[in-house]
Every structure is written in C-alpha cells, then in structure tokens.
Amino acid sequence: TMHSTNDLRGKVRPFLEEASQRSGETAYLGFAHNGRVLYLDSVIPATVRPVRAVIGVDAPLHCTAIGKALLHGLVVPEAAAA
C-alpha cells in the first residue's frame, strides 16, 4: 500500500543519503517484481548530473544497475523466474 511504501521510504532515506554522500553517486531504493525493478526513492548528489530513473516507474531488471544488483541477490530458481 501507499502508506507502507511511504513508511519504508522514510526509514531507508537516511541510509540512501549516507550512501550517496559517501560515494558521491546517486543512491536508489527499489524492489524487484515480475522481472522488473520499481524505483521507490533516490538521492542524487548536487555534483552528479541526474539520470533518467523516475520514482514510480519500472524497468526490466537486466537493463539497470539496481536490477542487476537485485538479480545477484536472488537464488537460482528465483533469478530464472525473473
């Protein structure tokens, strides 16, 4: 639900901010569903030119960095199903 998504975003946001600050790169929050990644939040540092990921938009897992990271964390049967 939208309420639980907002709760998750609120809890994870400080970690995204820290990851972005430490790396100097954009940090994303997303999840895998039906072979796609859905972007829930992002933190883009001022020194980085924004990229095209839009919150609430999905993309194929194999076409994005976050999707590839999510695929890496799946066990073989789950990855094959994605």
Side-chain angles (χ1 to χ4, degrees), residues 8-57:
L8 176 63
R9 288 177 62 198
K11 290 177 181 174
V12 173
R13 183 71 184 205
F15 298 101
L16 288 178
E17 290 171 351
E18 182 178 350
S20 179
Q21 180 183 19
R22 286 182 177 212
S23 69
E25 300 290 339
T26 303
Y28 293 104
L29 170 63
F31 71 94
H33 180 69
N34 291 333
R36 301 180 73 79
V37 61
L38 177 64
Y39 291 92
L40 299 178
D41 201 1
S42 67
V43 174
I44 304 169
T47 58
V48 172
R49 184 177 177 167
V51 293
R52 195 176 149 262
V54 179
I55 305 309
V57 172

